[in-house]
């Protein structure tokens, strides 16, 4: 948990959970669909003018939009590396993802892209007229009692108790002196990967996610049915609406500098 203080991890240690965030974003999206606030077949251009009319909300959620991942933009990555504590917000990363050439025609194939889920967060806020933090609390965290799970917004510090993050992949890192990423601002990851949680909370959440207790039965069935082969994520891995399936396990993996997470449930 802290290499200098020799503090161990525990099930109550707060960690950045990276792309496990996508499962929360997609769950709120599906709840709004149930309430007819939006449709998965809505063109994204309804909410974000200028986007190809053939790209739908469903294609964002299933990673079949063809929109490039903003993390592949060298200029954006350079800005984040130059000042990793600065709040590079969702608008900045969405702009970078949309400015890049499309990877393929809409629905032609699969390609994992964080830009898709940053856009979904913006759509969710637009149709609900509420900030994502409020929706997250009212629709998932409070009903499940996930008291240690936290939306950081544009705040880089972590509430205690937290585990420090360390990476060897950041400039200047060496095996003897990894870069401490604990105070890196996660705002650039937005609704694609900014959440903070604990192993204890994720155990509760994984069961709710895997059983569909936060959704109507028909909506959960639709979500499970959306799982399909996901080339590029590994042999036998499937991807659907904010879900991965690996050897029967349903959930999602996450990675953000200094932290990794895996949140899965087996039916």
């Amino acid at each position: 948990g802290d290499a200098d203080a020799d503090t161990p991890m525990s099930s109550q240690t707060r960690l950045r959970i990276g792309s496990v965030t996508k499962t929360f974003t997609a769950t709120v999206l599906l709840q709004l669909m149930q309430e007819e606030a939006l449709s998965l077949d809505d063109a994204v251009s309804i909410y974000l003018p200028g986007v190809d009319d053939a790209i739908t909300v469903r294609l964002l959620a299933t990673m079949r939009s063809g929109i490039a991942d903003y993390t592949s933009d060298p200029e954006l990555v350079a800005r984040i590396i130059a000042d990793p504590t600065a709040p590079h917000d969702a608008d900045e990363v969405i702009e970078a993802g949309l400015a890049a050439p499309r990877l393929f025609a809409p629905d032609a194939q699969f390609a994992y892209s964080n830009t898709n889920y940053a856009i979904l967060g913006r759509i969710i806020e637009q149709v609900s007229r509420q900030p994502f933090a409020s929706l997250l609390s009212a629709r998932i965290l409070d009903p499940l009692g996930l008291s240690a799970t936290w939306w950081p917004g544009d705040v880089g510090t972590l509430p205690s108790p937290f585990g420090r993050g360390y990476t060897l992949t950041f400039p200047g890192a060496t095996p003897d002196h990894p870069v401490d990423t604990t105070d890196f601002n996660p705002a650039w990851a937005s609704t694609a990967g900014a959440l903070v949680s604990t192993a204890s909370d994720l155990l509760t959440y994984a069961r709710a996610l895997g059983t569909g207790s936060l959704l109507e039965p028909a909506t959960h069935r639709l979500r499970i049915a959306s799982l399909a082969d996901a080339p590029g994520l590994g042999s036998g891995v499937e991807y659907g609406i904010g879900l991965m399936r690996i050897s029967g396990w349903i959930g999602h993996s996450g990675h953000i500098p200094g932290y990794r997470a895996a949140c899965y449930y087996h039916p």
Side-chain angles (χ1 to χ4, degrees):
D2 185 324
D4 293 334
D6 200 26
T7 305
M9 292 285 190
S10 82
S11 63
Q12 309 302 319
T13 302
R14 284 189 174 91
L15 306 165
R16 302 193 190 280
I17 63 172
S19 287
V20 177
T21 305
K22 291 179 175 70
T23 66
F24 290 80
T25 303
T27 297
V28 173
L29 176 77
L30 290 170
Q31 290 173 340
L32 291 171
M33 182 206 74
Q34 290 174 167
E35 296 159 17
E36 300 183 353
L38 55 75
S39 168
L40 295 182
D41 296 320
D42 285 345
V44 174
S45 58
I46 295 172
Y47 309 102
L48 202 62
V51 176
D52 185 341
D53 289 341
I55 297 176
T56 64
V57 171
R58 187 189 307 271
L59 295 183
L60 294 179
T62 56
M63 303 292 191
R64 298 184 64 86
S65 71
I67 295 173
D69 193 332
Y70 57 73
T71 62
S72 65
D73 181 335
E75 292 184 5
L76 173 65
V77 171
R79 290 198 300 272
I80 294 172
I81 288 175
D83 188 358
T85 62
H88 300 275
D89 64 16
D91 290 337
E92 183 179 357
V93 301
I94 290 170
E95 181 180 356
L98 292 177
R102 296 289 183 268
L103 302 176
F104 46 78
D107 205 23
Q109 60 189 78
F110 171 92
Y112 191 92
S113 172
N114 288 290
T115 312
N116 290 327
Y117 273 75
I119 295 172
L120 285 177
R122 282 289 180 256
I123 292 173
I124 286 169
E125 291 185 323
Q126 187 174 334
V127 300
S128 68
R129 299 181 182 178
Q130 295 181 61
F132 185 73
S134 298
L135 295 166
L136 188 67
S137 293
R139 292 172 174 270
I140 300 179
L141 307 188
D142 293 346
L144 294 180
L146 306 183
S147 58
T149 302
W150 180 66
W151 178 250
D154 61 0
V155 175
T157 55
L158 287 166
S160 296
F162 60 85
R164 305 200 70 84
Y166 303 95
T167 185
L168 294 175
T169 61
F170 205 77
T174 68
D176 290 333
H177 299 284
V179 169
D180 188 317
T181 68
T182 309
D183 295 326
F184 283 13
N185 195 307
W188 59 269
S190 68
T191 47
L195 260 179
V196 172
S197 191
T198 66
S200 180
D201 268 13
L202 287 185
L203 180 60
T204 299
Y205 175 67
R207 291 182 178 128
L209 182 67
T211 60
S213 67
L214 292 164
L215 301 171
E216 295 173 359
T219 304
H220 182 60
R221 289 194 296 271
L222 178 152
R223 190 177 200 176
I224 297 300
S226 73
L227 288 158
D229 288 343
L233 294 185
S235 177
V237 180
E238 297 173 296
Y239 202 91
I241 300 173
L243 281 184
M244 299 171 70
R245 180 161 59 194
I246 306 173
S247 301
W249 291 85
I250 298 167
H252 215 290
S253 301
H255 173 222
I256 195 166
Y259 299 89
R260 287 188 180 273
C263 175
Y264 289 90
Y265 173 88
H266 201 297

